[in-house]
Amino acid sequence: MTQTTKAVRTIYWEGGLDGACRLIEQTRLPGTLEEIVCETPEQMWDAIKRLAVRGAPAIGVAAGFGTVLGIRSSRATDADGFLADLRRTTEYLATSRPTAVNLFWGLDRMSRVAAEAVAAGTTDVDELKTCMLDEAQRIWEEDREICRALGRHGSALLNEGEGALTHCNAGGLATADYGTALAVFFSAQEAGKTFRVFADETRPLNQGSRLTSWELFQRGIDVTLICDNMAGQVMKEGRIDKVFVGSDRVAANGDAANKIGTYSVSILAKAHGIPFYVVAPTSTFDMKTAHGDQIPIEQRDPDEIRRGYSGGLNAPEGVKVYNPAFDVTPHENIAGIVTEFGVIENPDTEAVKKHFMEHGLLTDEG
Ligand code: MRU
């Protein structure tokens, strides 16, 4: 594979209400860059479950388009029937993956907009369907803008000549475009800064090697791939000045769930006095969950560890496997959470609440 400047178009809707959602089949990267087409909610559910589309914000976008795929064939003749079909679709899509809160955020947003349209007097079912497509497109467009803002705020934390470490993939492939943690590097590059990135491989599904090193390499960013168990050594050698990761769900106290292995990286960073930053849009915050230990952690197929994507055996067939897909980094290990509005330094319940209130996302009533 050689470096290219090919634009990454992770997920998008093509056509009108009778169109389809197209997305990059991420399980085949980096060897094959191809799109798949989702025309039914079942296909979208499967794409989310298999990680064809993955990464919290991209899953939020998939929730919007998946909802459109579910309700566009609704035979309802009135608003109540439409809302019932909508509820069936969102409840179904909500069963695809449990940890990334953006899935539920996206589904709730679609439901709320439909309910508001009905309350405002829209009873025509075709109009309601169009309103759903418009909203899904808005989620997609907003995500693109939010990621640029994350990049702007995050890149201010990365100084000229520094080395950074990242875990999993929080790039353009994990969002509608540009990324969260990787947006920091894209934005720093655009600002003319020189820096180095170390990318953890991210076992068992290798999002770091397959996706992050691919995205950074394509853009000509100085990226070095390491196995997950090398992070401590690279820190000890003094090569890492900052850690930037994404998140699947940030609890109200700032604890942040992210790809398995992130917690270990946060402890290594703390032991070496290296600031550890989480980069996540406010749609990734779950203000109803007080602490990180209440975040549901997805358990995935044991064969991901026994075989991985390569299909060949890594371990004896049938050996017992434990495969949590995420872990939670306690807020005490996080120097700051970068959102589209700025940086929440030393995040805790008070700091997160203050940030949300300052930006009109929370009122005194909650
Ligand atoms: O299982 P995945 O590949 O969906 O996990 C993705 C991550 O853990 C990302 O770091 C997270 O979703 C943030 S993406 C901007």
Side-chain angles (χ1 to χ4, degrees):
M1 196 184 62
T2 50
Q3 277 174 291
T4 70
T5 49
K6 199 167 183 120
V8 175
R9 214 170 168 200
T10 305
I11 179 168
Y12 62 101
W13 185 271
E14 192 172 62
L17 206 46
D18 58 351
C21 179
R22 302 181 73 95
L23 50 95
I24 292 180
E25 173 56 80
Q26 297 193 32
T27 64
R28 304 206 60 198
L29 287 171
T32 304
L33 175 58
E34 69 178 18
E35 282 183 351
I36 57 169
V37 183
C38 291
E39 293 178 317
T40 66
E42 290 78 15
Q43 287 169 345
M44 186 60 90
W45 189 97
D46 183 61
I48 296 170
K49 183 76 181 173
R50 290 188 303 105
L51 314 195
V53 59
R54 45 146 301 282
I59 294 173
V61 173
F65 291 144
T67 302
V68 175
L69 296 175
I71 53 81
R72 66 173 171 184
S73 53
S74 166
R75 295 213 182 107
T77 50
D78 60 18
D80 283 348
F82 177 83
L83 291 179
D85 284 346
L86 175 61
R87 194 162 45 248
R88 265 188 293 278
T89 296
T90 55
E91 283 175 0
Y92 166 67
L93 289 168
T95 61
S96 55
R97 290 189 81 186
T99 304
V101 79
N102 300 62
L103 173 68
F104 310 99
W105 168 88
L107 296 172
D108 286 351
R109 178 164 159 173
M110 296 297 286
S111 304
R112 195 182 61 245
V113 164
E116 282 168 6
V118 172
T122 308
T123 51
D124 180 76
V125 171
D126 287 336
E127 247 180 83
L128 288 169
K129 289 179 182 176
T130 302
C131 154
M132 292 286 84
L133 178 57
D134 291 347
E135 191 61 20
Q137 293 279 30
R138 252 191 301 275
I139 292 175
W140 179 83
E141 190 57 52
E142 281 174 18
D143 191 55
R144 289 160 57 86
E145 285 160 20
I146 285 168
C147 288
R148 299 278 160 176
L150 292 171
R152 277 194 303 277
H153 295 303
S155 62
L157 299 166
L158 184 65
N159 299 318
E160 174 66 25
E162 285 189 333
L165 179 91
T166 190
H167 189 78
C168 195
N169 173 266
L173 289 165
T175 58
D177 184 38
Y178 210 61
T180 62
L182 298 197
V184 171
F185 307 136
F186 299 145
S187 175
Q189 182 191 43
E190 283 159 23
K193 285 184 192 168
T194 308
F195 55 94
R196 307 170 310 281
V197 181
F198 287 82
D200 279 349
E201 181 183 34
T202 318
R203 281 277 292 145
L205 294 181
N206 296 349
Q207 286 93 332
S209 57
R210 293 188 306 106
L211 310 177
T212 294
S213 72
W214 182 74
E215 282 197 52
L216 296 177
F217 185 61
Q218 265 195 335
R219 297 225 190 194
I221 288 175
D222 179 350
V223 57
T224 304
L225 177 64
I226 56 170
C227 297
D228 299 334
N229 50 8
M230 296 173 188
Q233 178 62 22
V234 173
M235 288 181 184
K236 197 173 161 198
E237 289 171 7
R239 296 172 194 252
I240 309 295
D241 300 289
K242 309 268 163 66
V243 175
F244 294 96
V245 295
S247 177
D248 286 83
R249 191 185 297 226
V250 181
N253 71 342
D255 293 353
N258 193 45
K259 180 52 55 192
I260 192 73
T262 305
Y263 168 58
S264 311
V265 172
S266 79
I267 289 179
L268 287 171
K270 199 170 192 176
H272 291 88
I274 297 167
F276 179 101
Y277 292 102
V278 171
V279 188
T282 51
S283 57
T284 297
F285 284 67
D286 177 2
M287 299 300 276
K288 295 196 197 88
T289 295
H291 298 276
D293 54 13
Q294 295 156 355
I295 296 175
I297 300 294
E298 178 180 17
Q299 301 293 324
R300 290 189 63 90
D301 186 341
D303 268 350
E304 289 183 350
I305 293 183
R306 292 195 203 109
R307 291 176 181 277
Y309 276 135
S310 67
L313 273 180
N314 282 327
E317 194 88 70
V319 74
K320 204 157 70 167
V321 160
Y322 177 49
N323 187 15
F326 299 97
D327 56 29
V328 176
T329 297
H331 63 90
E332 293 87 353
N333 292 3
I334 301 173
I337 305 180
V338 180
T339 78
E340 64 271 34
F341 299 112
V343 184
I344 309 173
E345 283 171 13
N346 304 314
D348 59 11
T349 305
E350 272 314 298
V352 170
K353 188 173 169 195
K354 184 164 171 271
H355 190 77
F356 268 58
M357 290 189 69
E358 271 171 12
H359 300 287
L361 302 171
L362 201 66
T363 59
D364 272 328
E365 289 79 51

